[in-house]
Amino acid sequence: MTTFLLRRTAQALFTVWVVATLVFALLHVAGDPAQILAPPDMNQIQVAELREALGLDEPIWVQYGVFLGNLLQGDLGISYYNGRPALELVLERLPATFELVLSALAIALVVGVPLGILAALSAGSRLDRALRFISVIGISAPTFWIGIMLILVFSVEWGLLPSSGRGGPINLVLPAVTLSLFSLAFFLRIVRSSFLEVLTQDFVRTARAKGLPRGVVNVKHALRNALIPFVTIAGLQFGQLLTSSVVTETIFAWPGMNRLVLQAMYRLDYPIILAFAIVVAVTFATINLVVDVVYGFVDPRVRHA
């Protein structure tokens, strides 16, 4: 188990380094932050002085070496516009994003998994067809459209829920539901297909032939095996929600880190973008590491692969 953990940890660190390097390289071909940061009345000499002050006049490999050295010390630079440490700004917004993503994931799991099992157990029935139709709508409908429709109905027409901002749990309802719908529909379809596949396996038929109650066969034998691949998918879905919540945060004026990095991209605020990419990469790597460990416990063959 120790070797398994060390190997997965080394892979996670390598992944973070690759992401940081790729984002650094792409940013430096995207444009010149000094040109965007400079006021319209600033001449080229002053722009060059600004570029020198930001350290952007050095060759890219020198900037990359400085970046890696600072990264190892936990220093990701100062935001060009806020004048504060970039990592501090991103981490300030991280709890709001985590709150939104975890709530959306909880809704998707609590609703999507039981509906997937229900659809599998009633395969071919009207209920199954209705659930599959709902899942297609959930996957196909654009997030921004769902968010706007929910605001129009529950905030504008009925006045039941706030349409923007972060406050109490009531502020979380509409953004979390909006963000969860795709994952909910996705989980429903994955669990249904996985459960149906397991129900046709020989060991399930053998359990039925032994006369075991249907509930015992479905829960003890089929469900556990059906959920093994789902563990990996659910973990990856958390990472996907973490980075795809930018539309939801924007529609509901949710003060998360995705809104921060969207503004930073408009301004080419390198330190903010790099800090965001590294925080997300570390989060992804940690989630994958946890999923691998859980998967290793659920299926011991993985530890020896």
Side-chain angles (χ1 to χ4, degrees), residues 1 4-5 224 290-303:
M1 191 65 186
F4 172 76
L5 283 174
R224 181 179 177 183
V290 171
V291 168
D292 284 343
V293 172
V294 172
Y295 208 84
F297 279 109
V298 175
D299 186 354
R301 293 172 299 179
V302 175
R303 296 202 295 265

Side-chain angles (χ1 to χ4, degrees), residues 20-294:
T21 302
L22 283 176
V23 173
F24 180 89
L26 290 173
L27 280 177
H28 282 75
V29 298
D32 183 4
Q35 292 286 357
I36 299 175
L37 186 61
D41 58 345
M42 186 176 277
N43 59 42
Q44 288 304 311
I45 296 176
Q46 292 170 317
V47 172
E49 291 174 351
L50 178 60
R51 192 177 294 113
E52 182 180 356
L54 296 175
L56 299 172
D57 60 324
E58 300 286 349
I60 189 169
W61 57 86
V62 175
Q63 295 183 47
Y64 180 65
V66 172
F67 164 69
L68 284 184
N70 291 336
L71 176 61
L72 293 174
Q73 301 175 48
D75 179 10
L76 294 175
I78 304 295
S79 168
Y80 298 155
Y81 290 85
N82 293 285
R84 293 175 55 197
L87 184 59
E88 182 181 308
L89 286 168
V90 172
L91 292 180
E92 272 183 5
R93 303 288 191 100
L94 189 61
T97 298
F98 265 9
E99 182 183 351
L100 176 61
V101 170
L102 288 174
S103 301
L105 188 64
I107 293 172
L109 286 171
V110 170
V111 180
V113 174
L115 288 182
I117 296 172
L118 188 62
L121 293 176
S122 58
S125 67
R126 290 182 179 178
L127 176 62
D128 177 36
R129 288 195 291 273
L131 290 174
R132 280 189 289 160
F133 178 71
I134 293 171
S135 70
V136 170
I137 294 176
I139 290 176
S140 307
T143 302
F144 72 89
W145 181 81
I146 293 172
I148 292 172
M149 289 298 106
L150 290 177
I151 288 174
L152 286 175
V153 174
F154 291 98
S155 300
V156 178
E157 292 294 330
W158 295 350
L160 295 176
L161 297 168
S163 62
S164 64
R166 184 189 181 208
I170 196 170
N171 293 80
L172 189 59
V173 175
L174 290 184
V177 170
T178 301
L179 187 62
S180 70
L181 286 183
F182 176 86
S183 299
L184 190 158
F186 183 62
F187 288 165
L188 191 161
R189 296 181 72 85
I190 292 293
V191 171
R192 179 187 179 277
S193 61
S194 180
F195 201 59
L196 278 178
E197 183 180 348
V198 171
L199 287 175
T200 61
Q201 298 293 315
D202 290 339
F203 70 90
V204 174
R205 285 199 290 265
T206 302
R208 287 174 179 161
K210 287 180 178 177
L212 292 176
R214 184 179 178 184
V216 173
V217 175
N218 288 339
V219 175
K220 186 177 180 181
H221 295 275
L223 182 59
R224 181 179 177 183
N225 288 280
L227 291 181
I228 288 176
F230 181 74
V231 172
T232 304
I233 293 171
L236 294 176
Q237 194 63 22
F238 175 81
Q240 194 269 336
L241 287 174
L242 193 66
T243 54
S244 65
S245 61
V246 59
V247 174
T248 306
E249 290 184 1
T250 303
I251 291 174
F252 292 97
W254 191 260
M257 64 176 185
N258 285 289
R259 278 187 71 204
L260 176 70
V261 79
L262 184 64
Q263 295 166 352
M265 286 179 178
Y266 290 141
R267 300 167 169 175
L268 285 182
D269 196 344
Y270 285 1
I272 294 285
I273 299 171
L274 284 167
F276 170 82
I278 290 170
V279 167
V280 170
V282 170
T283 305
F284 256 99
T286 304
I287 292 169
N288 283 334
L289 184 61
V290 171
V291 168
D292 284 343
V293 172
V294 172

